[in-house]
Short mmCIF file of all heavy atoms in Angstrom, two decimals:
data_model
loop_
_atom_site.label_atom_id
_atom_site.label_comp_id
_atom_site.label_asym_id
_atom_site.label_seq_id
_atom_site.Cartn_x
_atom_site.Cartn_y
_atom_site.Cartn_z
N ASN A 207 3.24 8.70 7.44
CA ASN A 207 2.95 10.02 6.80
C ASN A 207 1.48 10.42 6.92
O ASN A 207 1.09 11.46 6.39
CB ASN A 207 3.29 9.95 5.30
CG ASN A 207 4.73 9.59 5.06
OD1 ASN A 207 5.60 9.97 5.83
ND2 ASN A 207 4.99 8.84 4.01
N ASN A 208 0.65 9.57 7.58
CA ASN A 208 -0.81 9.79 7.66
C ASN A 208 -1.41 9.98 6.27
O ASN A 208 -2.27 10.83 6.05
CB ASN A 208 -1.14 11.00 8.54
CG ASN A 208 -1.00 10.68 10.01
OD1 ASN A 208 -1.32 9.56 10.43
ND2 ASN A 208 -0.52 11.60 10.79
N ASP A 209 -0.95 9.16 5.31
CA ASP A 209 -1.48 9.23 3.95
C ASP A 209 -2.67 8.27 3.87
O ASP A 209 -2.55 7.12 3.46
CB ASP A 209 -0.38 8.83 2.95
CG ASP A 209 -0.74 9.16 1.51
OD1 ASP A 209 -1.95 9.34 1.26
OD2 ASP A 209 0.16 9.27 0.67
N TYR A 210 -3.85 8.78 4.27
CA TYR A 210 -5.03 7.91 4.45
C TYR A 210 -5.50 7.27 3.15
O TYR A 210 -5.90 6.12 3.15
CB TYR A 210 -6.18 8.72 5.06
CG TYR A 210 -5.91 9.24 6.44
CD1 TYR A 210 -6.03 10.60 6.75
CD2 TYR A 210 -5.51 8.38 7.47
CE1 TYR A 210 -5.77 11.08 8.03
CE2 TYR A 210 -5.25 8.84 8.74
CZ TYR A 210 -5.39 10.20 9.02
OH TYR A 210 -5.12 10.67 10.29
N LEU A 211 -5.44 8.01 2.05
CA LEU A 211 -5.94 7.44 0.78
C LEU A 211 -5.09 6.26 0.33
O LEU A 211 -5.62 5.23 -0.10
CB LEU A 211 -5.94 8.52 -0.31
CG LEU A 211 -6.62 8.11 -1.62
CD1 LEU A 211 -8.09 7.78 -1.39
CD2 LEU A 211 -6.50 9.19 -2.68
N GLU A 212 -3.76 6.36 0.48
CA GLU A 212 -2.87 5.26 0.10
C GLU A 212 -3.08 4.06 1.02
O GLU A 212 -3.02 2.91 0.58
CB GLU A 212 -1.40 5.71 0.13
CG GLU A 212 -1.01 6.64 -1.01
CD GLU A 212 -1.20 6.02 -2.40
OE1 GLU A 212 -1.07 4.79 -2.54
OE2 GLU A 212 -1.51 6.77 -3.34
N ILE A 213 -3.30 4.34 2.33
CA ILE A 213 -3.58 3.23 3.28
C ILE A 213 -4.85 2.50 2.84
O ILE A 213 -4.90 1.27 2.84
CB ILE A 213 -3.73 3.78 4.73
CG1 ILE A 213 -2.40 4.36 5.25
CG2 ILE A 213 -4.22 2.68 5.67
CD1 ILE A 213 -2.49 5.07 6.58
N CYS A 214 -5.85 3.30 2.45
CA CYS A 214 -7.13 2.73 2.00
C CYS A 214 -6.92 1.84 0.77
O CYS A 214 -7.46 0.75 0.69
CB CYS A 214 -8.12 3.86 1.69
SG CYS A 214 -9.62 3.28 0.92
N TRP A 242 -13.24 3.38 7.02
CA TRP A 242 -12.68 4.43 7.90
C TRP A 242 -11.68 5.30 7.14
O TRP A 242 -11.74 6.54 7.22
CB TRP A 242 -12.00 3.81 9.12
CG TRP A 242 -12.91 3.42 10.24
CD1 TRP A 242 -13.04 2.20 10.81
CD2 TRP A 242 -13.85 4.27 10.93
NE1 TRP A 242 -13.98 2.22 11.80
CE2 TRP A 242 -14.50 3.48 11.91
CE3 TRP A 242 -14.21 5.61 10.81
CZ2 TRP A 242 -15.47 3.98 12.76
CZ3 TRP A 242 -15.18 6.11 11.67
CH2 TRP A 242 -15.81 5.32 12.62
N TYR A 243 -10.75 4.65 6.43
CA TYR A 243 -9.71 5.45 5.75
C TYR A 243 -10.23 6.21 4.55
O TYR A 243 -9.68 7.25 4.17
CB TYR A 243 -8.51 4.55 5.38
CG TYR A 243 -7.68 4.21 6.59
CD1 TYR A 243 -7.64 2.92 7.10
CD2 TYR A 243 -6.97 5.19 7.27
CE1 TYR A 243 -6.90 2.61 8.24
CE2 TYR A 243 -6.22 4.89 8.40
CZ TYR A 243 -6.19 3.60 8.89
OH TYR A 243 -5.46 3.33 10.02
N LEU A 244 -11.34 5.72 3.96
CA LEU A 244 -11.99 6.47 2.88
C LEU A 244 -12.55 7.78 3.41
O LEU A 244 -12.44 8.84 2.78
CB LEU A 244 -13.13 5.66 2.28
CG LEU A 244 -12.86 4.91 0.98
CD1 LEU A 244 -14.09 4.14 0.57
CD2 LEU A 244 -12.48 5.87 -0.14
N ILE A 245 -13.14 7.69 4.59
CA ILE A 245 -13.75 8.88 5.21
C ILE A 245 -12.66 9.86 5.67
O ILE A 245 -12.80 11.08 5.57
CB ILE A 245 -14.65 8.48 6.40
CG1 ILE A 245 -15.81 7.59 5.88
CG2 ILE A 245 -15.22 9.67 7.14
CD1 ILE A 245 -16.40 6.68 6.91
N LEU A 246 -11.53 9.29 6.15
CA LEU A 246 -10.44 10.14 6.65
C LEU A 246 -9.64 10.79 5.53
O LEU A 246 -8.98 11.81 5.74
CB LEU A 246 -9.50 9.30 7.51
CG LEU A 246 -10.04 8.87 8.89
CD1 LEU A 246 -9.17 7.79 9.48
CD2 LEU A 246 -10.09 10.06 9.83
N ALA A 247 -9.71 10.21 4.32
CA ALA A 247 -8.92 10.77 3.19
C ALA A 247 -9.51 12.10 2.73
O ALA A 247 -10.75 12.24 2.67
CB ALA A 247 -8.92 9.78 2.04
N PRO A 248 -8.66 13.09 2.39
CA PRO A 248 -9.18 14.37 1.89
C PRO A 248 -9.96 14.17 0.59
O PRO A 248 -9.67 13.26 -0.18
CB PRO A 248 -7.91 15.20 1.63
CG PRO A 248 -6.84 14.52 2.39
CD PRO A 248 -7.21 13.07 2.46
N HIS A 249 -10.94 15.04 0.36
CA HIS A 249 -11.81 14.92 -0.81
C HIS A 249 -11.03 15.22 -2.09
O HIS A 249 -10.44 16.28 -2.24
CB HIS A 249 -12.98 15.92 -0.68
CG HIS A 249 -13.92 15.87 -1.84
ND1 HIS A 249 -14.88 14.91 -1.97
CD2 HIS A 249 -14.03 16.65 -2.95
CE1 HIS A 249 -15.55 15.12 -3.10
NE2 HIS A 249 -15.04 16.16 -3.71
N ASP A 250 -10.99 14.25 -3.01
CA ASP A 250 -10.40 14.47 -4.34
C ASP A 250 -10.99 13.42 -5.29
O ASP A 250 -11.72 12.52 -4.84
CB ASP A 250 -8.86 14.41 -4.29
CG ASP A 250 -8.29 13.04 -3.98
OD1 ASP A 250 -9.08 12.09 -3.88
OD2 ASP A 250 -7.07 12.91 -3.85
N PRO A 251 -10.74 13.51 -6.60
CA PRO A 251 -11.39 12.58 -7.54
C PRO A 251 -11.14 11.09 -7.23
O PRO A 251 -12.05 10.28 -7.32
CB PRO A 251 -10.75 12.95 -8.90
CG PRO A 251 -10.35 14.38 -8.75
CD PRO A 251 -9.97 14.54 -7.32
N MET A 252 -9.89 10.75 -6.84
CA MET A 252 -9.57 9.35 -6.52
C MET A 252 -10.39 8.86 -5.32
O MET A 252 -10.94 7.76 -5.34
CB MET A 252 -8.07 9.22 -6.22
CG MET A 252 -7.64 7.86 -5.73
SD MET A 252 -7.76 6.57 -6.96
CE MET A 252 -6.27 6.85 -7.87
N GLN A 253 -10.48 9.71 -4.28
CA GLN A 253 -11.24 9.35 -3.07
C GLN A 253 -12.72 9.17 -3.43
O GLN A 253 -13.37 8.23 -2.99
CB GLN A 253 -11.05 10.45 -2.01
CG GLN A 253 -11.67 10.14 -0.67
CD GLN A 253 -13.01 10.83 -0.46
OE1 GLN A 253 -13.52 11.51 -1.33
NE2 GLN A 253 -13.58 10.63 0.70
N SER A 254 -13.24 10.07 -4.26
CA SER A 254 -14.64 10.02 -4.66
C SER A 254 -14.93 8.74 -5.44
O SER A 254 -15.94 8.09 -5.22
CB SER A 254 -14.94 11.26 -5.51
OG SER A 254 -16.28 11.30 -5.84
N SER A 255 -14.02 8.38 -6.33
CA SER A 255 -14.19 7.17 -7.15
C SER A 255 -14.18 5.91 -6.27
O SER A 255 -15.02 5.02 -6.42
CB SER A 255 -13.07 7.11 -8.17
OG SER A 255 -12.94 5.84 -8.71
N LEU A 256 -13.22 5.85 -5.30
CA LEU A 256 -13.14 4.70 -4.39
C LEU A 256 -14.39 4.61 -3.51
O LEU A 256 -14.88 3.52 -3.21
CB LEU A 256 -11.90 4.82 -3.51
CG LEU A 256 -10.59 4.26 -4.07
CD1 LEU A 256 -9.43 4.64 -3.17
CD2 LEU A 256 -10.64 2.75 -4.21
N LEU A 257 -14.88 5.78 -3.10
CA LEU A 257 -16.05 5.84 -2.22
C LEU A 257 -17.27 5.23 -2.92
O LEU A 257 -17.99 4.41 -2.35
CB LEU A 257 -16.32 7.31 -1.85
CG LEU A 257 -17.36 7.60 -0.76
CD1 LEU A 257 -16.93 7.04 0.56
CD2 LEU A 257 -17.58 9.09 -0.62
N LEU A 279 -21.90 10.52 3.43
CA LEU A 279 -20.85 11.32 2.81
C LEU A 279 -21.13 11.58 1.33
O LEU A 279 -20.71 12.58 0.79
CB LEU A 279 -19.50 10.62 2.95
CG LEU A 279 -18.77 10.87 4.27
CD1 LEU A 279 -17.50 10.07 4.31
CD2 LEU A 279 -18.40 12.33 4.45
N LYS A 312 -5.21 11.37 16.45
CA LYS A 312 -5.04 12.21 15.25
C LYS A 312 -6.16 11.91 14.25
O LYS A 312 -6.71 12.81 13.61
CB LYS A 312 -3.67 11.91 14.64
CG LYS A 312 -3.40 12.57 13.28
CD LYS A 312 -2.75 13.92 13.45
CE LYS A 312 -2.28 14.52 12.13
NZ LYS A 312 -3.30 14.81 11.15
N ASP A 316 -8.95 14.30 12.50
CA ASP A 316 -9.06 14.36 11.03
C ASP A 316 -10.47 14.01 10.57
O ASP A 316 -10.96 14.58 9.58
CB ASP A 316 -8.06 13.41 10.38
CG ASP A 316 -6.63 13.93 10.48
OD1 ASP A 316 -6.47 15.15 10.65
OD2 ASP A 316 -5.69 13.13 10.40
N LEU A 317 -11.13 13.10 11.31
CA LEU A 317 -12.50 12.71 10.96
C LEU A 317 -13.42 13.94 11.10
O LEU A 317 -14.24 14.23 10.21
CB LEU A 317 -12.98 11.58 11.87
CG LEU A 317 -14.40 11.07 11.63
CD1 LEU A 317 -14.52 10.45 10.24
CD2 LEU A 317 -14.81 10.05 12.68
N MET A 319 -12.49 17.03 10.88
CA MET A 319 -12.10 17.93 9.78
C MET A 319 -12.80 17.55 8.47
O MET A 319 -13.30 18.42 7.76
CB MET A 319 -10.58 17.87 9.56
CG MET A 319 -9.77 18.68 10.52
SD MET A 319 -9.85 20.43 10.16
CE MET A 319 -9.04 20.49 8.57
N ARG A 320 -12.85 16.24 8.18
CA ARG A 320 -13.47 15.79 6.92
C ARG A 320 -14.97 16.09 6.92
O ARG A 320 -15.52 16.45 5.87
CB ARG A 320 -13.26 14.27 6.72
CG ARG A 320 -11.82 13.86 6.58
CD ARG A 320 -11.13 14.41 5.35
NE ARG A 320 -9.69 14.32 5.49
CZ ARG A 320 -8.88 15.34 5.77
NH1 ARG A 320 -9.36 16.54 5.92
NH2 ARG A 320 -7.57 15.16 5.89
N ILE A 321 -15.63 15.95 8.08
CA ILE A 321 -17.06 16.24 8.16
C ILE A 321 -17.30 17.74 7.92
O ILE A 321 -18.22 18.14 7.20
CB ILE A 321 -17.65 15.79 9.52
CG1 ILE A 321 -17.48 14.27 9.73
CG2 ILE A 321 -19.11 16.19 9.67
CD1 ILE A 321 -18.12 13.39 8.67
N GLU A 323 -15.32 19.75 6.21
CA GLU A 323 -15.06 19.99 4.79
C GLU A 323 -16.25 19.57 3.94
O GLU A 323 -16.63 20.28 2.99
CB GLU A 323 -13.80 19.22 4.34
CG GLU A 323 -12.51 19.88 4.80
CD GLU A 323 -11.27 19.04 4.49
OE1 GLU A 323 -11.40 18.08 3.70
OE2 GLU A 323 -10.20 19.36 5.04
N HIS A 324 -16.86 18.40 4.27
CA HIS A 324 -18.02 17.92 3.52
C HIS A 324 -19.16 18.94 3.65
O HIS A 324 -19.80 19.29 2.64
CB HIS A 324 -18.45 16.56 4.10
CG HIS A 324 -19.82 16.12 3.65
ND1 HIS A 324 -20.03 15.52 2.42
CD2 HIS A 324 -21.05 16.23 4.24
CE1 HIS A 324 -21.33 15.26 2.29
NE2 HIS A 324 -21.95 15.68 3.38
N LEU A 327 -18.56 22.01 1.50
CA LEU A 327 -18.84 21.70 0.09
C LEU A 327 -20.34 21.68 -0.20
O LEU A 327 -20.79 22.15 -1.24
CB LEU A 327 -18.22 20.36 -0.31
CG LEU A 327 -16.70 20.36 -0.49
CD1 LEU A 327 -16.17 18.93 -0.57
CD2 LEU A 327 -16.30 21.11 -1.75
N MET A 359 -9.64 25.47 2.85
CA MET A 359 -10.17 24.77 1.67
C MET A 359 -9.94 25.58 0.40
O MET A 359 -9.70 25.01 -0.67
CB MET A 359 -11.66 24.47 1.85
CG MET A 359 -11.91 23.33 2.82
SD MET A 359 -13.62 22.85 2.87
CE MET A 359 -13.79 21.93 1.34
N SER A 362 -6.26 25.12 -0.50
CA SER A 362 -5.99 23.79 -1.10
C SER A 362 -6.76 23.59 -2.41
O SER A 362 -6.73 22.51 -2.98
CB SER A 362 -6.37 22.69 -0.10
OG SER A 362 -7.76 22.72 0.12
N ALA A 364 -9.89 23.26 -3.00
CA ALA A 364 -11.01 22.34 -2.96
C ALA A 364 -12.29 23.03 -3.43
O ALA A 364 -13.21 22.40 -3.91
CB ALA A 364 -11.20 21.79 -1.54
#
Side-chain angles (χ1 to χ4, degrees):
N207 302 325
N208 284 324
D209 193 340
Y210 296 126
L211 188 62
E212 287 300 329
I213 294 173
C214 172
W242 278 124
Y243 285 111
L244 260 179
I245 297 156
L246 288 166
H249 180 80
D250 68 4
M252 174 67 81
Q253 185 260 3
S254 184
S255 163
L256 274 172
L257 190 64
L279 276 176
K312 172 91 171 63
D316 287 338
L317 180 63
M319 279 285 295
R320 297 295 163 257
I321 300 301
E323 283 174 14
H324 167 81
L327 285 168
M359 285 188 76
S362 65

